[in-house]
C-alpha cells in the first residue's frame, strides 16, 4: 500500500498516493493521470456535498484517457443545477485540453496549472465527463427509474410498459427489470423497491 500525501487545489485538500508525485530532474510534479483525476473529483464531491452520491471511473486507451463521474441525490434524482455547475468546474481544471470538431484536432491546454503551493500538475486525462444522474445499475438508478415510472404511469407513452408489467410480472417493476441487474443489485433493490 502506498503512502498518501496531501495536496491542495483551488482551496480544497486531497489525499493522493505518493506514487503520483514524480520528478523532472529534481523538480517535483503531480502526475495527473485519469485515475487520479477521477479520485480528486470524487473526493471533492464527498467533502463539499456529503449527502450526494458519487461514482467515478477512469479509462485508458490508445490515444488518450478519460474520466467518467456520475452524481445524484440519495434518491437518484438530479442534483440542483448550481451544485452541478460547481462540480462540473473540475472538468476545466483537470482535463488536458479540448477537441475541436471544426478542424478535427485535439487542442492541448497551454496554461501551467499547479497545486496551491506551486507544485506543477502535468499529464492530464484527455476527456472528463461529469453526469447529473446516478450510475447505471446502482440502486439509486433503479429507484430513479421507478420514481419516473410512477410519476408517468398515466402517460400514454407508458401504457405498453404498464400492460407488460401487469401481464408478465404481476405488476412488479422490480421483476420486470431483474434481467438488467446483477444478483447483488437485485438484492439491494429488492430491499428498497419491494
Amino acid at each position: 500500500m502506498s503512502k498518501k500525501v496531501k495536496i491542495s487545489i483551488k482551496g480544497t485538500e486531497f489525499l493522493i498516493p505518493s506514487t503520483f508525485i514524480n520528478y523532472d530532474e529534481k523538480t517535483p510534479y503531480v502526475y495527473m493521470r485519469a485515475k487520479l483525476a477521477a479520485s480528486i473529483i470524487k473526493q471533492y464531491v464527498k467533502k463539499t456535498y456529503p449527502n450526494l452520491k458519487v461514482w467515478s471511473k477512469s479509462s485508458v486507451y490508445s490515444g488518450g484517457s478519460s474520466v467518467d463521474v456520475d452524481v445524484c441525490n440519495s434518491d437518484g434524482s438530479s442534483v440542483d443545477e448550481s451544485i452541478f455547475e460547481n462540480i462540473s468546474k473540475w472538468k476545466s481544471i483537470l482535463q488536458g485540453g479540448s477537441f475541436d470538431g471544426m478542424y478535427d484536432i485535439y487542442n492541448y491546454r497551454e496554461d501551467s496549472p499547479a497545486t496551491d503551493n506551486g507544485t506543477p500538475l502535468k499529464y492530464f486525462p484527455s476527456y472528463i465527463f461529469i453526469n447529473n444522474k446516478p450510475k447505471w445499475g446502482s440502486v439509486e438508478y433503479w429507484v430513479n427509474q421507478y420514481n419516473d415510472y410512477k410519476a408517468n404511469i398515466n402517460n400514454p407513452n407508458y401504457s405498453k410498459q404498464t400492460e407488460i408489467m401487469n401481464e408478465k410480472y404481476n405488476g412488479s417493476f422490480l421483476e420486470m427489470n431483474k434481467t438488467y441487474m446483477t444478483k447483488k443489485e437485485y438484492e439491494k433493490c429488492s430491499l428498497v423497491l419491494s
Side-chain angles (χ1 to χ4, degrees):
M1 184 181 293
S2 72
K3 189 176 118 182
K4 301 272 187 178
V5 295
K6 288 181 185 177
I7 64 168
S8 180
I9 302 171
K10 303 289 183 189
T12 303
E13 206 169 77
F14 302 99
L15 272 177
I16 67 168
S18 60
T19 54
F20 287 102
I21 304 296
N22 289 336
Y23 292 85
D24 277 339
E25 296 179 19
K26 294 182 180 181
T27 307
Y29 68 89
V30 178
Y31 181 31
M32 191 54 66
R33 57 187 278 199
K35 183 176 182 178
L36 183 57
S39 172
I40 284 176
I41 296 170
K42 187 172 185 177
Q43 287 182 58
Y44 175 77
V45 173
K46 286 186 168 202
K47 281 182 177 190
T48 312
Y49 307 105
N51 295 326
L52 297 184
K53 293 294 218 168
V54 60
W55 299 265
S56 66
K57 72 174 188 170
S58 60
S59 301
V60 178
Y61 40 83
S62 66
S65 60
S66 63
V67 171
D68 289 281
V69 178
D70 297 305
V71 294
C72 69
N73 291 308
S74 59
D75 65 354
S77 63
S78 299
V79 301
D80 180 81
E81 194 58 37
S82 63
I83 292 172
F84 183 68
E85 285 176 16
N86 191 34
I87 296 167
S88 295
K89 74 180 181 185
W90 287 93
K91 177 178 177 168
S92 63
I93 295 169
L94 300 176
Q95 185 169 284
S98 61
F99 181 74
D100 184 341
M102 177 77 91
Y103 297 103
D104 196 26
I105 60 171
Y106 188 85
N107 296 313
Y108 291 93
R109 66 189 306 161
E110 294 182 8
D111 60 344
S112 301
T115 62
D116 293 344
N117 74 354
T119 304
L121 304 174
K122 296 183 177 184
Y123 310 113
F124 298 91
S126 305
Y127 300 99
I128 296 178
F129 305 101
I130 302 176
N131 306 298
N132 195 353
K133 63 180 185 171
K135 177 184 171 198
W136 194 93
S138 64
V139 172
E140 293 78 13
Y141 171 83
W142 291 110
V143 168
N144 190 46
Q145 291 294 105
Y146 179 67
N147 289 337
D148 182 55
Y149 171 74
K150 280 191 340 186
N152 289 289
I153 201 160
N154 294 322
N155 184 327
N157 295 331
Y158 282 74
S159 62
K160 188 64 175 174
Q161 182 180 0
T162 302
E163 181 184 323
I164 292 169
M165 190 166 69
N166 289 334
E167 288 178 15
K168 284 186 154 187
Y169 303 100
N170 295 325
S172 172
F173 177 88
L174 186 60
E175 290 303 312
M176 185 173 82
N177 290 289
K178 182 178 182 177
T179 305
Y180 306 107
M181 300 178 193
T182 64
K183 184 178 179 182
K184 190 175 183 178
E185 289 167 357
Y186 178 78
E187 289 170 356
K188 286 181 178 180
C189 288
S190 65
L191 296 172
V192 178
L193 297 177
S194 37

